[in-house]
Amino acid sequence: MMTHVHSHEDCRQLLGMLSDYIDGELEARLCEEIEAHLADCENCRIVIDTLRKTVLLYQMPDPPELPEDVELRLFKALDLEPYLRKEPLAEPDEDA
Amino acid sequence: MRIRVTKSLSLASEQEEVVGSNDLDEQALVAALKAGDRAACAVMVKRFSPRIYRVALKLMGDPDEAEEVLQETFISACQHVRDFEGRSSLGTWLYRIATNAGLMRLRRRKLETVSIDDPVELEDGEVAPRQLIDWGWNPEKHALNEELRRVMDEAIAALPETLRATFILRDIEGLSTAETAETLGISESAAKVRLHRARMRLREYLTEYFAAHRASVAERGDHDDARP
Ligand SMILES: [Zn+2]
């Protein structure tokens, strides 16, 4: 039998499970408990919403990938310069 | 002996996005690498260097050091490819080399400056939230601006190294919990605890930013919270 008397202790217990919850890795029974708690706990709703947004933000694409000069120096350091061509990446010339 | 890198192999390098996909092309690549094929080495570098660089950059927080980690990673990978047993994907193996190289540098850097341990972490695996302010900002609706990117990078840099590495691999690079744990040489449950701590700390950091942001928007009487 479960009652949803809201206490600070409930929030503490719930906090440790939030990452599993937003990753969908929490078992159904615990999800239900969390959702019941969220229904009447504004603070936890804010935490879960901002935690989810935090993860989403960092999953948004980060455009600058590998700068060309960094790539060039990498290929040089590996002594692989002949293979550094924009496209297609395949055999070096002398082998064709 | 020289094994030719096939066209399909180089094509795969353009298309492959998922780190964990340990498909036949990867097997062919690994076989060629083990046979000492230089072209295969180039394919590996081309395929994985953007991801490895991104990880190094986030981990080190410094482009020069990130570049050194990047070079170290691939020099080591090309030299030691015979040790690669193929139990994990090639990507995970490279992440492991890069993460170890980066963490080692960070530890050395710390020893050279002040000799103190990682910031004390809460023992029960939680980070108690201090900030309970709703952001009023929606990642689905807005593109990231430069200032927000800078704040996000600052937030990552403020994490203890072990939390930082876990978060980068799991949430930025999209490795599974199992792959993250394997890369870092820790248990899955430890990876989960670290990930949660990292996320909660980042959440706290970003909340401070959005709270200040909202306050300044309110002050200007401006309702556009996307701030170009
Ligand atoms: Zn609560």
Side-chain angles (χ1 to χ4, degrees), chain A residues 28-58:
Chain A
R29 187 182 54 81
L30 290 170
C31 285
E32 280 167 28
E33 267 183 48
I34 286 189
E35 278 148 22
H37 178 93
L38 289 176
D40 51 36
C41 182
E42 167 77 7
N43 283 352
C44 283
R45 278 205 301 273
I46 290 177
V47 174
I48 206 164
D49 177 60
T50 50
L51 188 67
R52 192 179 267 136
K53 283 176 179 170
T54 298
V55 176
L56 271 172
L57 274 181
Y58 281 100

Side-chain angles (χ1 to χ4, degrees), chain A residues 19 58 61-62 73 95, chain B residues 2 10 58 67 149 152 196:
Chain A
S19 276
Y58 281 100
D62 204 349
R73 288 193 292 272
D95 228 337
Chain B
R2 172 136 207 263
S10 56
K58 300 265 180 217
E67 186 170 345
R149 282 208 187 273
M152 286 163 64
H196 184 60

Side-chain angles (χ1 to χ4, degrees), chain B residues 146-206:
Chain B
E146 232 172 82
E147 182 182 280
L148 181 52
R149 282 208 187 273
R150 181 181 54 72
V151 172
M152 286 163 64
D153 284 344
E154 276 173 17
I156 286 198
L159 291 174
E161 293 133 37
T162 50
L163 300 192
R164 196 187 312 161
T166 310
F167 180 79
I168 292 167
L169 293 170
R170 178 73 176 80
D171 277 341
I172 299 182
E173 295 304 310
L175 268 64
S176 67
T177 306
E179 286 168 331
T180 304
E182 199 198 320
T183 303
L184 295 171
I186 56 177
S187 70
E188 281 191 43
S189 58
K192 280 189 172 192
V193 168
R194 283 191 194 176
L195 177 71
H196 184 60
R197 289 183 189 179
R199 286 173 171 180
M200 288 295 277
R201 287 184 187 219
L202 294 172
R203 186 206 75 90
E204 203 77 30
Y205 200 103
L206 294 181

